[in-house]
Amino acid sequence: MALDLQNIEHASNLTEDCDIVHLNMVFKKSRKMVKKAHKAGKKVVYHAHTTAEDIENSFLFSNFYAKRFKKTLKRTYQSADYIITPTNYSRNILLSYGITKEIAAISNGIDLKSYSQNKDKETKFLEKFNISEDDKIVMGVGLFFKRKGLLDFIAISRKMPDVKFFWFGHTPLLTLPKEIRKAIKGRPANCIFPGYVEGDIIQGAYSRSNCFFFPSFVENEGIVVLEALASRQKIIIRDVDTYRDWLTHGENCLKGNNNEEFIEYIRACINGEYEELRDEAYKVAEARSIEIVSEKIKAVYEKVLGSND
């Protein structure tokens, strides 16, 4: 979408000619593509969505592999001509790996139109899950990872039985540690896991919920946070470095450090407090709109191609 907005032609397969190869994954196939691109005289832009830090506390044995994976990430990203990563936080992490290539912090971006408040979408969400207008709803989105704060989400739902807690997303249980599987299976009745949901229903959920609660410990940006911001939602997040320079507690979000604080903020949002956060949250999303992001990506491409001169 970003490239289309800037009228940048992009190839749909590897048989088409191009000037730049823009990669988003760090798999073995991607690393081979870097070598192939450079051999053909093409520039490579690597979009660094992954760090060793956001691999930890996810799948089975992820902590074991994370430290070893750091070397692979460094070697892979260093092979590019230019690196894009979503935030200054993730940029600083990459620099700490010893990467010397130029790195631009550019948001993943958000399509504002898709997440604007829409009563029809909200009605679809309510009807899909048999929710009454009087029900109080807390919404979270993500994979079933410990680092996403899933254990805290479930624990807090148990302490607030009068509230419906929805966690949207899906991860095969067999790929998860026993601690997470046990927590999911033993969750209270008011903690609802609808699975992976997209389109009108999830967009309606974002704007209709009483607040968006995302207690993740580590994110490189948090696309779901952008979606909540674009929905003019009241957002409760953990006070971690990821958000330090673009989300401000009490101005466009609420930041907590423990479950007691999270419960306090959730209850306040449900009771109609912090309404002023909504418009300020949307301003943050506006600054990260796909239109603005597309301009920044185009500027990177121009800089990379200009280095041929």
Side-chain angles (χ1 to χ4, degrees):
M1 182 184 287
L3 303 189
D4 287 340
L5 286 168
Q6 294 298 321
N7 296 316
I8 298 173
E9 293 183 21
H10 45 91
S12 59
N13 59 68
L14 293 176
T15 63
E16 297 180 56
D17 192 24
C18 63
D19 301 298
I20 296 172
V21 174
H22 189 148
L23 296 167
N24 290 274
M25 303 300 290
V26 290
F27 297 139
K28 188 176 181 179
K29 183 178 179 181
S30 302
R31 296 195 289 274
K32 287 182 178 179
M33 287 177 65
V34 173
K35 293 180 180 179
K36 185 177 180 180
H38 280 153
K39 189 175 181 180
K42 305 178 190 304
K43 297 293 185 177
V44 174
V45 173
Y46 229 115
H47 222 124
H49 299 284
T50 303
T51 62
E53 286 73 10
D54 69 11
I55 292 173
E56 294 179 352
N57 294 314
S58 54
F59 294 107
L60 275 170
F61 311 118
S62 59
N63 291 4
F64 174 80
Y65 288 112
K67 293 180 176 59
R68 291 156 180 77
F69 196 45
K70 183 184 290 187
K71 292 181 179 179
T72 299
L73 290 174
K74 177 182 177 180
R75 185 171 63 252
T76 301
Y77 293 150
Q78 183 70 21
S79 69
D81 297 290
Y82 204 101
I83 302 168
I84 297 174
T85 196
T87 58
N88 286 320
Y89 162 78
S90 54
R91 181 178 184 274
N92 288 333
I93 286 180
L94 297 180
L95 290 173
S96 75
Y97 292 175
I99 293 173
T100 57
K101 296 298 175 70
E102 191 164 358
I103 307 172
I106 301 175
S107 171
N108 286 304
I110 184 71
D111 179 14
L112 297 175
K113 298 184 187 69
S114 294
Y115 292 91
S116 59
Q117 190 170 20
N118 183 300
K119 289 297 181 183
D120 289 338
K121 291 181 180 181
E122 292 181 3
T123 298
K124 288 181 181 179
F125 162 61
L126 296 176
E127 291 178 347
K128 172 72 174 178
F129 299 106
N130 195 27
I131 303 169
S132 74
E133 289 289 347
D134 296 328
D135 283 335
K136 305 303 181 184
I137 304 165
V138 173
M139 175 187 178
V141 184
L143 297 171
F144 300 165
F145 292 163
K146 184 176 181 178
R147 76 165 173 87
K148 295 285 185 180
L150 186 64
L151 295 178
D152 288 337
F153 190 91
I154 294 173
I156 289 172
S157 71
R158 184 169 284 109
K159 292 184 177 182
M160 304 180 73
D162 57 315
V163 178
K164 291 182 185 289
F165 283 75
F166 281 83
W167 184 277
F168 292 91
H170 174 72
T171 310
L173 293 183
L174 290 176
T175 66
L176 300 172
K178 182 178 179 181
E179 180 184 27
I180 298 297
R181 297 199 306 269
K182 183 178 179 181
I184 292 172
K185 291 177 181 178
R187 68 189 186 275
N190 66 313
C191 188
I192 303 158
F193 281 46
Y196 179 76
V197 178
E198 60 183 350
D200 289 355
I201 293 174
I202 189 75
Q203 291 163 11
Y206 269 115
S207 58
R208 172 56 183 81
S209 298
N210 294 94
C211 65
F212 176 80
F213 175 40
F214 189 59
S216 181
F217 291 88
V218 178
E219 296 291 323
N220 283 325
E221 181 175 37
I223 292 177
V224 297
V225 174
L226 294 181
E227 292 170 349
L229 291 165
S231 303
R232 297 181 188 270
Q233 185 54 270
K234 291 183 280 189
I235 298 169
I236 303 170
I237 52 178
R238 196 177 298 275
D239 188 7
V240 292
D241 289 344
T242 309
Y243 313 116
R244 197 95 352 127
D245 64 343
W246 58 286
L247 290 172
T248 304
H249 174 74
E251 180 179 316
N252 45 43
C253 70
L254 296 168
K255 295 181 179 180
N257 293 290
N258 52 60
N259 286 4
E260 288 71 27
E261 290 182 358
F262 290 141
I263 290 172
E264 176 187 342
Y265 294 144
I266 290 170
R267 187 63 70 186
C269 288
I270 287 173
N271 291 335
E273 299 178 41
Y274 296 113
E275 289 297 309
E276 69 279 4
L277 297 182
R278 295 182 184 276
D279 288 341
E280 295 303 315
Y282 188 73
K283 290 178 183 177
V284 177
E286 283 184 311
R288 287 158 177 76
S289 71
I290 193 66
E291 289 81 5
I292 290 176
V293 166
S294 71
E295 295 173 359
K296 294 181 178 180
I297 291 176
K298 181 181 180 181
V300 166
Y301 287 170
E302 290 173 340
K303 188 171 187 177
V304 169
L305 291 178
S307 63
N308 285 320
D309 298 337

